[in-house]
Amino acid sequence: MMSDVGSLQAFRRGHLWLWLSPWMLLAAILFGTAIGETRIPLSVVMETIANRLWDAGYPVNRIDEGIIWSYRLSRAIVAAACGAGLALTGVVLQALLRNPLADPYLMGLSAGASTGAVVVTVAGLGAGAISMSLGALIGALVAFALVAMLAQVVAGRADTGRGSQAAAIILAGIAGSQLFNALTAFIIARTANAEQARGIMFWLMGNLSGTRWEDVGATVLAALAGAAVCFWHRRSLDAFTFGADSAASLGIAVRPVRGLLITVTAVMIGVMVSKVGSIGFVGLVVPHAMRFLVGTRHDRLVPATALAGAIFLVVADVLSRVIVPGQVLPIGVITALVGAPAFALILVHGRRAHGR
Amino acid sequence: MMLAAENLSVSVRNTTILRDVSLHLQPGECLGLIGPNGSGKSTLMQCLAGLRKPGKGRVLLNGHAMDRTSSKIRSRQLALVEQQAETAERITVREAVELGRIPFLSPLRPWRAEDDAKVHQALDAVDMAGLSDRLWHTLSGGERQRVHIARALAQSPEILLLDEPTNHLDIRHQLSILALVRALPVTKVIALHDLNQALACDRLVLLHDGAIVASGEPRKVLTTQHLREVFGVEARYLTPDPDEPPLIRFSCATSLSY
């Protein structure tokens, strides 16, 4: 039972987070730019940014400036955008499917997007007419349709308890992931040479090391547009709390709204996967952490999750660069190290909540 | 006439679920929908709520065709309490009731003091104001149903649709929910299983195999003949206390032999 004082504290905590997190994001990006194989003082980072943005004319070492501007800053911004986007897809999927375990990675959407991206780049489908991002978007949509359909069949066959519904999504997601990963491997084996294959494999595990300023535009745009659409539909997301029928009787045009939100999710996944590969568990961990912090209402959950996702991935990226000296781990390894235990926790907690 | 169904027919894969159902709701009344399992009560309820489009016929809400009414406008006139709607979210009672204000909000129309007032009123009406900070998963079945009714009331509807709201509740909660619903100052359509409870409605509609068999005053609908033909039971009216409404006593029909 929650007392008045408890909920008031939660409210204050939530507000505090919403005020603090933009500053924390800024700090994370600056630290992400300063920390790396060669450590660069924060003052130099600031001076470089000032030089580039306002022609401030600080004397900065050219190599440092190159590392900061062309390599680390763009990378940190892409990480922030991808973190925000991936975390938001988790919020949307969890709300629409009413399933605490819904996540683009676990549901195989990222795998589908990878297949789509590989089909376009390696197999050369579309003859340059469609971009890698569009291929990934289509892949994510196909995967969603497939997994959602399969999950519905599985849940329909089994008894329709809420626990089995949550499990059905995961089982269908495993089937989907395996299928799309196999397809991806097949396409790579058939068409890519050894050099290409190595590069693709590294990218598939989630990798930010190739990111440059060219990638900043698409990822930031996708994250901002996605956040805007989710925030615009915050009440619709709330309305799904007790299911689609209940949302409909609360005046939500269920089909169009659901279609729009799923499409936006697929766009975000498509863009993020085509730029940085499939990074897992962000959509699972961040929204759940934020529900504890700011509550379940989407007017606060959406901005809080976007910001926290951004911070999470920037920090994860820093960790991936410093945790093993002299070596860069794929960022997916770090997110999975945090995410897998969190996943287990949600699983156990959910079982307890339903097993009364 | 505020809510009316005109010649509704619904079929799913060659099975007819509703055939040629017409009914007109009178302002202020409490209309009971009764019938055995599979008689089409829930489907009719969904059509009336605008959640399902009938294959033939139409539903009119305040004179306008339901399928041409925007879902937003509909949701300000009509609220639905489902049999059992659940959530896994850590949501408080007040937050659940606040969902009922969604029809009046828009991306640009923020939450206002009047919304708070409506939520308070709704919580008071179902006697849950004292539990407004409790989390959903700590509530009993009866309390959850009260919250659902409060959420529907927060929509400030003219018409409340309730689909077997007392299912899965123990007898004490069944009676208290029904007493609560009966006292609400709105027009109500309520699907019910318990025929003794149905006697307390103003008017009843009896469904059998998707068609209306009888409608009107409860005593005229729940005749021993209808009970035998539709439900397959023998029934007798008992009046143990002349000041109280009668009771129906059921026994197995002779045709159901073991």
Side-chain angles (χ1 to χ4, degrees):
Chain A
M1 187 155 89
M2 207 172 185
S3 66
D4 260 347
V5 182
S7 64
L8 194 66
Q9 270 171 353
F11 184 76
R12 288 208 182 118
R13 212 167 50 196
H15 261 258
L16 190 68
W17 171 252
L18 282 175
W19 282 110
L20 271 182
S21 53
W23 301 106
M24 285 169 66
L25 175 59
L26 202 65
I29 290 177
L30 288 178
F31 276 105
T33 312
I35 299 167
E37 215 164 318
T38 46
R39 204 165 272 228
I40 299 169
L42 263 184
S43 59
V44 179
V45 172
M46 304 279 228
E47 282 169 8
T48 305
I49 294 172
N51 281 355
R52 287 291 181 140
L53 290 183
W54 302 287
D55 268 329
Y58 290 107
V60 178
N61 180 334
R62 296 217 86 170
I63 296 172
D64 280 355
E65 185 168 335
I67 292 175
I68 290 167
W69 188 257
S70 344
Y71 181 67
R72 288 194 193 158
L73 185 61
S74 54
R75 178 179 176 142
I77 293 174
V78 168
C82 289
L86 290 173
L88 281 174
T89 59
V91 169
V92 172
L93 291 173
Q94 283 149 25
L96 293 187
L97 300 171
R98 301 174 64 220
N99 191 326
L101 296 177
D103 163 81
Y105 187 73
L106 292 170
M107 283 178 65
L109 307 194
S110 304
S114 304
T115 307
V118 168
V119 164
V120 170
T121 47
V122 182
L125 200 81
I130 48 177
S131 70
M132 194 168 157
S133 298
L134 190 62
L137 191 172
I138 294 168
L141 275 179
V142 169
F144 179 82
L146 207 74
V147 169
M149 220 156 59
L150 186 59
Q152 198 151 31
V153 173
V154 173
R157 288 275 163 82
D159 74 291
T160 45
R162 300 248 337 123
S164 72
Q165 260 179 34
I169 280 279
I170 298 308
L171 294 177
I174 292 173
S177 305
Q178 295 295 329
L179 172 70
F180 285 108
N181 286 338
L183 276 177
T184 308
F186 179 76
I187 295 164
I188 292 170
R190 278 297 299 255
T191 45
N193 57 38
E195 180 70 17
Q196 260 181 320
R198 252 176 60 90
I200 291 167
M201 282 317 205
F202 203 66
W203 163 74
L204 278 181
M205 290 179 70
N207 184 10
L208 283 158
S209 51
T211 51
R212 296 288 178 268
W213 279 106
E214 298 93 83
D215 305 317
V216 170
T219 46
V220 169
L221 192 70
L224 286 180
V229 173
C230 294
F231 190 69
W232 185 264
H233 282 287
R234 58 199 184 275
R235 317 252 193 236
S236 311
L237 288 166
D238 283 341
F240 278 91
T241 305
F242 288 101
D245 271 357
S246 156
S249 68
L250 288 170
I252 306 300
V254 169
R255 270 162 184 264
V257 167
R258 198 159 47 185
L260 171 72
L261 288 170
I262 294 289
T263 309
V264 167
T265 303
V267 168
M268 286 196 278
I269 296 168
V271 171
M272 305 314 173
V273 167
S274 68
K275 297 299 180 196
V276 301
S278 57
I279 299 173
F281 295 103
V282 181
L284 189 73
V285 175
V286 177
H288 282 293
M290 286 305 107
R291 280 194 189 93
F292 263 100
L293 216 55
V294 304
T296 54
R297 291 277 289 274
H298 289 85
D299 53 354
R300 278 151 64 192
L301 188 59
V302 166
T305 301
L307 287 162
I311 296 169
F312 177 68
L313 213 58
V314 174
V315 172
D317 181 42
V318 173
L319 285 178
S320 79
R321 279 181 281 154
V322 299
I323 220 165
V324 183
Q327 199 186 342
V328 179
L329 292 173
I331 191 167
V333 173
I334 305 291
T335 59
L337 281 175
V338 179
F343 174 73
L345 207 68
I346 296 162
L347 208 60
V348 172
H349 184 79
R351 186 136 297 260
R352 222 180 285 150
H354 294 300
R356 291 182 307 122
Chain B
M1 149 194 101
M2 33 196 333
L3 184 66
E6 288 181 349
N7 311 98
L8 297 188
S9 293
V10 174
S11 358
V12 176
R13 287 194 210 98
N14 297 328
T15 312
T16 309
I17 300 175
L18 286 181
R19 56 187 101 212
D20 209 23
V21 169
S22 298
L23 61 86
H24 295 257
L25 196 59
Q26 306 299 328
E29 74 172 336
C30 176
L31 176 71
L33 290 184
I34 50 172
N37 285 338
S39 58
K41 295 191 297 282
S42 282
T43 308
L44 176 57
M45 205 53 121
Q46 285 188 317
C47 289
L48 291 176
L51 299 181
R52 188 180 193 135
K53 211 174 160 306
K56 281 193 210 125
R58 57 182 190 161
V59 178
L60 293 174
L61 177 60
N62 289 329
H64 299 285
M66 181 75 90
D67 52 355
R68 302 236 180 104
T69 311
S70 87
S71 47
K72 198 124 215 172
I73 289 174
R74 187 192 68 213
S75 63
R76 293 176 186 176
Q77 299 172 350
L78 197 73
L80 171 71
V81 176
E82 294 169 89
Q83 257 184 52
Q84 219 186 357
E86 282 302 327
T87 183
E89 295 277 12
R90 284 175 60 85
I91 183 175
T92 64
V93 168
R94 185 186 287 112
E95 285 171 330
V97 177
E98 282 173 355
L99 296 177
R101 295 306 293 169
I102 288 176
F104 301 88
L105 305 174
S106 81
L108 302 175
R109 173 357 191 134
W111 185 269
R112 293 187 190 142
E114 64 183 85
D115 298 309
D116 271 328
K118 291 281 183 195
V119 168
H120 257 281
Q121 244 177 336
L123 280 167
D124 270 336
V126 300
D127 208 13
M128 287 288 285
L131 299 179
S132 59
D133 284 315
R134 280 272 294 275
L135 286 171
W136 176 262
H137 67 262
T138 67
L139 299 179
S140 72
E143 289 167 339
R144 289 179 192 195
Q145 209 52 280
R146 278 172 186 267
V147 176
H148 280 311
I149 294 171
R151 178 167 52 91
L153 289 177
Q155 282 173 253
S156 339
E158 295 164 34
I159 304 163
L160 195 59
L161 305 176
L162 302 107
D163 190 3
E164 299 188 14
T166 56
N167 250 13
H168 312 291
L169 297 185
D170 57 41
I171 183 70
R172 185 167 70 97
H173 286 108
Q174 284 187 20
L175 295 177
S176 75
I177 292 274
L178 284 173
L180 162 74
V181 167
R182 233 173 278 132
L184 293 174
V186 290
T187 309
K188 289 149 290 213
V189 181
I190 178 166
L192 282 172
H193 244 307
D194 189 310
L195 301 177
N196 273 308
Q197 293 172 356
L199 277 176
C201 292
D202 298 322
R203 199 155 64 96
L204 290 182
V205 166
L206 173 59
L207 284 165
H208 185 38
D209 282 339
I212 293 182
V213 179
S215 71
E217 250 179 75
R219 288 292 294 267
K220 291 189 177 141
V221 171
L222 289 174
T223 60
T224 47
Q225 191 195 350
H226 281 144
L227 289 167
R228 189 182 308 125
E229 286 169 6
V230 175
F231 291 92
V233 292
E234 291 298 331
R236 216 149 45 90
Y237 274 90
L238 304 176
T239 25
D241 185 341
D243 295 334
E244 291 200 5
L247 288 170
I248 316 175
R249 185 192 174 119
F250 303 99
S251 54
C252 260
T254 42
S255 59
L256 261 179
S257 54
Y258 290 94

